[in-house]
Amino acid sequence: MAKSGSTDQTAKDSKAPAISFEQAMEMLESIVAKLESGDVPLETAIELFQEGMSLSKLCGQKLEQVERRIEMLVEGDSGLQRKPFTSSREEAFEDKGE
């Protein structure tokens, strides 16, 4: 009897609904806990690692999307102004340049 795991996984991937950032983080934390326990067989650990990397990439993409959409309100002399969001990394770079 042949395993249908890879076929099931492929079907699952193609029909998988988009998951939220929070769901992805919970899944990633669960994977990390399993891997840190050291009680998983090597093949399972490799599969978990691959899934974790995919979730990590997804979380990074979601954060980048949100970062692009965020605008900070900054109170200036003329009242509140919209200012594009800049990451702390970009602000540190700008501060060094001044």
Side-chain angles (χ1 to χ4, degrees), residues 1-15 47 50:
M1 181 173 222
K3 282 188 169 184
S4 62
S6 61
T7 305
D8 291 342
Q9 185 65 34
T10 304
K12 183 179 173 184
D13 289 344
S14 63
K15 296 178 184 177
E47 290 172 10
Q50 289 173 331

Side-chain angles (χ1 to χ4, degrees), residues 17-86:
I19 61 173
S20 71
F21 175 81
E22 291 79 10
Q23 290 170 324
M25 283 299 296
E26 286 178 16
M27 293 168 65
L28 189 53
E29 288 171 0
S30 173
I31 288 170
V32 169
K34 288 176 187 175
L35 290 173
E36 285 180 341
S37 74
D39 294 334
V40 293
L42 181 59
E43 287 298 318
T44 303
I46 292 170
E47 290 172 10
L48 288 171
F49 179 79
Q50 289 173 331
E51 184 179 352
M53 291 302 293
S54 294
L55 288 168
S56 176
K57 182 177 178 181
L58 174 69
C59 288
Q61 290 170 344
K62 287 185 178 284
L63 285 174
E64 286 177 9
Q65 289 170 358
V66 169
E67 196 173 87
R68 283 187 227 116
R69 292 174 34 200
I70 292 177
E71 290 182 338
M72 296 184 323
L73 291 175
V74 179
E75 189 171 352
D77 294 334
S78 61
L80 294 178
Q81 299 174 338
R82 291 178 183 249
K83 178 182 175 186
F85 176 81
T86 56

